Amino acid sequence: MWAGLGLVLALCLLPAGGTESQNCQEPPAWRIGEEDPMWNSRGSVTVVALLQAKNTTCALPQILEDLRVKLENEGLVNISYVVVNHQGAQSRREFHLLKERVSDYITVYQQDEQQEDVWTTLNGNKDDFLIYDRCGRLVYHLGLPYSFLHFQYVEESIKIAYCENKCGNCSYTVFSYLILYIVEKKSRFDWYLKKLFQCD
């Protein structure tokens, strides 16, 4: 009981996790080549992990994959997981190692050396986790030591972004619930559509 209370208290007292960042603000614009990962994730809770490929001897990418599976098994679906590799030369050379340690459900991006550094744009550091709500607003920015996946700060932050309206109402939240309802009630929905559009 005390451990859970301590976790909640720590999350409440952290203004933006372990690093400075304004909560409930949309992130500054960033792209990887022609892709805009934040725009592509609209409507989903988005977890952005800033990882460095040269440190993939650690188990962090695999632990992130295990966390994704755990949350999915608990019913937390429609979460986008994005990993942005460091821009340095060694990290670019070892990008494939980082990509190999996660499933296809986690998108791993490699920055081009000529582009503006995404980590700098996001005011992030190695092993930071940024959790955004369905409208793309920053809910938590967790830096070390809060971003260690052996602790539950990242997991609890994702659950808060998923289950609560910490940043206020989001039109995507209603839409997400509607889609889930339709999928669960597909047979009834199909029957309704047939009745609605019958021509006889």
Side-chain angles (χ1 to χ4, degrees):
M1 178 176 113
W2 292 109
L5 181 61
L7 177 62
V8 170
L9 182 60
L11 282 172
C12 291
L13 292 176
L14 293 172
T19 59
E20 291 181 23
S21 185
Q22 292 225 331
N23 284 343
C24 298
Q25 299 295 317
E26 289 198 23
W30 60 277
R31 303 179 77 82
I32 303 287
E34 296 299 313
E35 285 198 61
D36 184 342
M38 292 306 297
W39 181 255
N40 296 343
S41 298
R42 282 295 162 106
S44 302
V45 169
T46 304
V47 179
V48 177
L50 306 181
L51 303 181
Q52 193 166 4
K54 72 177 188 176
N55 291 325
T56 54
T57 53
C58 73
L60 188 59
Q62 182 57 51
I63 297 170
L64 177 60
E65 175 64 23
D66 294 343
L67 176 60
R68 182 197 67 77
V69 171
K70 177 184 179 197
L71 292 174
E72 189 173 283
N73 289 337
E74 291 177 8
L76 279 74
V77 294
N78 198 23
I79 299 175
S80 296
Y81 295 87
V82 174
V83 172
V84 180
N85 189 24
H86 190 263
Q87 197 174 32
Q90 184 176 354
S91 295
R92 286 195 320 277
R93 279 193 303 274
E94 298 182 7
F95 171 69
H96 67 282
L97 298 174
L98 183 60
K99 198 167 174 77
E100 290 168 2
R101 292 182 181 259
V102 295
S103 72
D104 292 338
Y105 295 104
I106 299 177
T107 307
V108 183
Y109 289 103
Q110 176 57 62
Q111 303 182 68
D112 184 74
E113 62 183 334
Q114 304 303 321
Q115 77 172 78
E116 187 176 341
D117 181 29
V118 173
W119 288 24
T120 302
T121 301
L122 296 176
N123 194 26
N125 296 301
K126 186 177 97 53
D127 298 337
D128 279 8
F129 280 81
L130 296 92
I131 292 99
Y132 298 91
D133 70 6
R134 290 173 180 86
C135 282
R137 299 171 297 195
L138 181 65
V139 179
Y140 287 106
H141 182 165
L142 300 172
L144 294 172
Y146 304 103
S147 61
F148 282 129
L149 292 177
H150 296 291
F151 300 136
Q152 291 191 336
Y153 296 107
V154 172
E155 179 179 345
E156 290 302 317
S157 297
I158 294 170
K159 288 179 177 179
I160 288 169
Y162 191 92
C163 300
E164 299 176 16
N165 289 327
K166 185 167 174 40
C167 295
N169 289 333
C170 174
S171 59
Y172 288 105
T173 303
V174 174
F175 184 70
S176 295
Y177 289 134
L178 179 62
I179 294 298
L180 288 173
Y181 179 79
I182 290 170
V183 168
E184 289 174 5
K185 306 294 183 187
K186 185 175 181 336
S187 61
R188 183 180 294 169
F189 186 69
D190 287 345
W191 175 85
Y192 176 75
L193 285 178
K194 285 178 188 172
K195 288 289 187 188
L196 187 64
F197 295 109
Q198 277 183 340
C199 296
D200 50 21

